[in-house]
Amino acid sequence: MSYVGLFISVACALAAAASGLGHRWGLWHFSTGFQVFKTAAIIALISVAVSMAGGLFALRDASRLKTLCAALGVALGFIVAGFLHAHMQIARRVPKIHDIATDTQNPPAFQAVLPLRKGAKNPPAYEGARIARLQNKAYPDVKPLTFQTSKEEVFRRALDAARAMGWHVVSSELPEGRIEAYDTTFWYGFIDDIVIRITSGSGTTRLDIRSKSRVGVGDIGENARRIRGFFEKLKIR
């Protein structure tokens, strides 16, 4: 039973990994990937029970190999199931929105990436007050940044930070103070678009940023995390 439990746990781990990679490689729709992931996590709990039972028999027989296999089966099964549980907890804590902007009254508009968004499930337009209200409650720290340096300097730093984040820069226009890019998530390969707007006046320079998913109702906080990561890159430069 120790071997069986470990085999099931390994199979579940591989299925969970493939659930996202399969969508990233174009093998199936992301909803299919989600279902594969959920099923793998449920079966992983069964593998934990099988591995525990196998571990008891292994201890009785004083078999180190079987005991090790049982321990690995339990650990791997809990990791797979725990990963799904963690994602579900995050999804419950954050609102089901996929468009985050530092300026919710006048969010930066997409221009250069519009041709790339052709056919995307989520339209490029900002949805307005409802989205703004949910964002401000969930992510009160996502606000514009103000600098005491020139527009040119902030633009350079922002472009360097965008590239350091691994984003694919589509357009960078200094006169307009606009940078547009897109980012691809590692596991499922979801593509999110980013626009940065830099304006100056009264001796200060303001930076606004917006990140929006092309598909999906919710983003499990990904767009807000991306903006926070970008801000961190700006701070260390």
Side-chain angles (χ1 to χ4, degrees), residues 69-152:
C69 288
L72 290 174
V74 170
L76 191 56
F78 271 131
I79 288 172
V80 175
F83 197 55
L84 173 63
H85 178 72
H87 271 69
M88 292 176 64
Q89 290 298 106
I90 295 173
R92 290 192 183 100
R93 289 198 302 267
V94 300
K96 289 185 177 181
I97 57 178
H98 53 261
D99 192 351
I100 305 297
T102 54
D103 186 346
T104 57
Q105 299 301 312
N106 180 31
F110 295 111
Q111 292 183 13
V113 300
L114 290 179
L116 302 178
R117 291 185 65 90
K118 186 177 181 180
K121 297 282 288 185
N122 296 328
Y126 191 72
E127 294 183 37
R130 184 187 72 86
I131 296 297
R133 183 175 65 254
L134 292 172
Q135 176 192 312
N136 292 331
K137 182 178 180 180
Y139 314 115
D141 59 312
V142 177
K143 298 295 182 184
L145 295 183
T146 302
F147 301 87
Q148 302 299 320
T149 54
S150 67
K151 176 181 177 180
E152 291 75 15

Side-chain angles (χ1 to χ4, degrees), residues 59-212:
L59 289 173
R60 185 196 62 183
D61 298 337
S63 172
R64 292 184 178 180
L65 179 58
K66 290 182 179 179
T67 301
L68 177 60
C69 288
L72 290 174
V74 170
L76 191 56
F78 271 131
I79 288 172
V80 175
F83 197 55
L84 173 63
H85 178 72
H87 271 69
M88 292 176 64
Q89 290 298 106
I90 295 173
R92 290 192 183 100
R93 289 198 302 267
V94 300
K96 289 185 177 181
I97 57 178
H98 53 261
D99 192 351
I100 305 297
T102 54
D103 186 346
T104 57
Q105 299 301 312
N106 180 31
F110 295 111
Q111 292 183 13
V113 300
L114 290 179
L116 302 178
R117 291 185 65 90
K118 186 177 181 180
K121 297 282 288 185
N122 296 328
Y126 191 72
E127 294 183 37
R130 184 187 72 86
I131 296 297
R133 183 175 65 254
L134 292 172
Q135 176 192 312
N136 292 331
K137 182 178 180 180
Y139 314 115
D141 59 312
V142 177
K143 298 295 182 184
L145 295 183
T146 302
F147 301 87
Q148 302 299 320
T149 54
S150 67
K151 176 181 177 180
E152 291 75 15
E153 173 64 15
V154 174
F155 186 92
R156 181 191 65 78
R157 291 171 58 186
L159 187 57
D160 287 347
R163 288 170 173 160
M165 292 285 291
W167 300 347
H168 302 271
V169 177
V170 177
S171 174
S172 58
E173 302 293 336
L174 175 57
E176 298 178 14
R178 171 184 297 275
I179 299 170
E180 293 189 60
Y182 66 88
D183 189 24
T184 304
T185 63
F186 171 74
W187 190 13
Y188 273 77
F190 293 127
I191 299 177
D192 302 333
D193 294 303
I194 306 115
V195 54
I196 300 168
R197 181 179 65 201
I198 300 169
T199 55
S200 59
S202 303
T204 62
T205 300
R206 169 170 165 159
L207 183 149
D208 283 289
I209 180 172
R210 178 184 175 196
S211 181
K212 179 167 186 171

